[in-house]
Amino acid sequence: MTLRVLGVDPGLTRCGYGVLDAGIGRSASLVDVGVVRSRHEDTLDIRLLEIARGLEAKLEEHAPDVVAIERVFAQNNTSTVMGTAQVSGVAVLLAAQRGIRVAIHTPSEVKAAVTGSGRADKKQIQTMLVKLLGLDAPPSPADAADALAIALTQIWRGPGPVRLDAGGKARTSAQAVWAEAERSARRARDTSSSRF
Amino acid sequence: MTLRVLGVDPGLTRCGYGVLDAGIGRSASLVDVGVVRSRHEDTLDIRLLEIARGLEAKLEEHAPDVVAIERVFAQNNTSTVMGTAQVSGVAVLLAAQRGIRVAIHTPSEVKAAVTGSGRADKKQIQTMLVKLLGLDAPPSPADAADALAIALTQIWRGPGPVRLDAGGKARTSAQAVWAEAERSARRARDTSSSRF
């Protein structure tokens, strides 16, 4: 059975998503990649609803086992950071509402996983994704590429995703046990349903 | 027909809510007030789901005409600001999914509306809420009181809620005037606060 990961690079104007299936060894195959957009001239409620609907459509379409999301830091104090955080909250909620596991990765973790350097630029990430996923062209825009990089990071970090709360605290052993039970239940359910 | 407002003071550990019905003149009557909690030891997905379920229950129970939410600022760079922003995104989404209007108010706007001073402390807000709503005791905890204050601000600002996008860009010229006033207030506040 294949592990399917949906990576999310949260953003209010462009929210990147990338879906990968884990292959043998460290390989992974591209399932879907793109961005969900909202219009800058719309109000926040309309924008969050647009992004949520786009992400919900992808969750329904691809039924991922894990949703991996890039962590947003407050110290990235740009004018967009609050919108980005709000979208990340929405993405986490949509996964949680469907009983899909959520994993959070920091940007430097993702860069290090994909390029070997925690300070890689977007061009480097795109170049490595072409090689690692055997693509014809770099995924574009950068938000879509970032979402794929997050999904790839999740696959490489193994079956037990690192799940952190907002304060960066790792989950407790009780939660680990619960998560393992949930995984087993999902596997049983997935096996019984007609998946390829 | 009475205008009913549900105010939300977003927070991951305690998310305050307060429901008010607008009365004649500037009066308002208390319908419900409290907090939705999540446990610090749970992971972010579980916590956001708990908060969302609590808020959804209140939206269903009270069917408000408007949801008024306190704006979160990135410069309040505490360890909890990202969780607060994520909860605010969730609250906005839940209202938008139900076609309920969303209004965003800044903390200083709320303080000014309720106490006459944009720099009022929590005690002052609680004292004024007792007087203005004819309560027997101050609403507690402070998150619940803040949510009531946000709802009251919304009622007093009239039927047309001020709706801003995450970038803080105003939509109409009337809102532009208000936004300029807000900017001035913020400049005053930023100058007075010690930045680190």
Side-chain angles (χ1 to χ4, degrees):
Chain A
M1 222 197 59
T2 305
L3 178 81
R4 177 168 286 182
V5 179
L6 189 151
V8 176
D9 182 35
L12 193 55
T13 300
R14 285 181 307 277
C15 179
Y17 65 85
V19 184
L20 294 178
D21 279 349
I24 294 162
R26 304 205 90 198
S27 73
S29 58
L30 177 64
V31 177
D32 193 4
V33 62
V35 292
V36 179
R37 296 169 192 272
S38 80
R39 293 163 10 121
H40 191 265
E41 57 268 37
D42 281 335
T43 48
L44 178 63
D45 50 346
I46 302 295
R47 299 187 75 179
L48 287 177
L49 192 59
E50 286 288 319
I51 299 287
R53 284 178 177 164
L55 291 178
E56 280 176 319
K58 291 298 158 187
L59 290 170
E60 301 300 326
E61 181 182 349
H62 299 299
D65 301 295
V66 184
V67 168
I69 302 178
E70 188 156 296
R71 173 167 297 189
V72 186
F73 287 102
Q75 54 262 47
N76 302 337
N77 191 2
T78 67
S79 65
T80 59
V81 68
M82 284 295 105
T84 303
Q86 288 168 319
V87 169
S88 83
V90 162
V92 169
L93 177 69
L94 295 176
Q97 283 175 332
R98 287 159 179 77
I100 300 171
R101 283 186 293 152
V102 174
I104 312 279
H105 300 291
T106 65
S108 56
E109 244 184 322
V110 173
K111 288 173 187 171
V114 176
T115 72
S117 162
R119 295 184 198 172
D121 61 15
K122 293 197 177 288
K123 175 99 184 131
Q124 234 182 309
I125 288 171
Q126 288 180 314
T127 304
M128 285 306 294
L129 286 172
V130 168
K131 287 187 191 176
L132 296 164
L133 300 173
L135 308 178
D136 293 330
S140 163
D143 315 79
D146 283 346
L148 277 184
I150 295 157
L152 197 59
T153 302
Q154 177 59 28
I155 286 174
W156 287 355
R157 289 181 69 90
V162 177
R163 311 207 321 173
L164 301 172
D165 66 18
K169 194 181 143 199
R171 68 177 162 194
T172 64
S173 57
Q175 285 167 357
V177 170
W178 171 82
E180 179 49 44
E182 190 198 36
R183 270 197 294 281
S184 306
R186 280 181 65 87
R187 271 195 214 96
R189 195 185 61 203
D190 289 348
T191 311
S192 62
S193 69
S194 60
R195 293 193 50 187
F196 58 92
Chain B
M1 221 192 64
T2 304
L3 179 80
R4 176 167 287 183
V5 178
L6 189 150
V8 177
D9 182 34
L12 195 53
T13 300
R14 285 181 306 278
C15 179
Y17 65 85
V19 184
L20 294 178
D21 280 347
I24 293 163
R26 303 204 90 196
S27 74
S29 58
L30 177 65
V31 177
D32 193 4
V33 63
V35 292
V36 179
R37 295 170 192 273
S38 81
R39 291 160 16 117
H40 191 263
E41 57 269 37
D42 281 337
T43 48
L44 179 62
D45 50 346
I46 303 295
R47 300 187 74 180
L48 287 178
L49 192 58
E50 286 289 319
I51 299 286
R53 283 176 178 165
L55 290 179
E56 280 175 320
K58 290 298 159 188
L59 289 171
E60 301 300 328
E61 182 182 351
H62 299 299
D65 302 296
V66 184
V67 170
I69 303 178
E70 188 157 298
R71 172 167 295 187
V72 187
F73 288 102
Q75 54 263 47
N76 302 336
N77 192 3
T78 68
S79 65
T80 59
V81 68
M82 286 293 104
T84 303
Q86 288 169 319
V87 169
S88 83
V90 163
V92 170
L93 177 68
L94 296 176
Q97 284 175 332
R98 287 158 178 79
I100 300 170
R101 282 188 295 152
V102 174
I104 312 280
H105 299 290
T106 65
S108 56
E109 209 188 356
V110 173
K111 288 173 187 169
V114 176
T115 72
S117 162
R119 296 181 198 175
D121 62 14
K122 292 194 179 294
K123 176 98 183 127
Q124 234 182 308
I125 288 172
Q126 288 179 314
T127 303
M128 283 307 293
L129 285 173
V130 168
K131 287 189 194 179
L132 295 164
L133 299 174
L135 308 178
D136 293 330
S140 162
D143 315 80
D146 283 348
L148 276 185
I150 295 157
L152 197 58
T153 302
Q154 176 60 28
I155 286 174
W156 286 356
R157 289 183 68 90
V162 177
R163 310 205 320 175
L164 298 172
D165 66 21
K169 196 180 148 200
R171 295 183 82 204
T172 66
S173 59
Q175 287 168 354
V177 170
W178 173 82
E180 178 49 45
E182 188 199 38
R183 268 196 295 281
S184 305
R186 280 188 52 185
R187 271 198 291 275
R189 194 188 63 203
D190 288 349
T191 311
S192 65
S193 71
S194 55
R195 308 277 299 264
F196 47 92

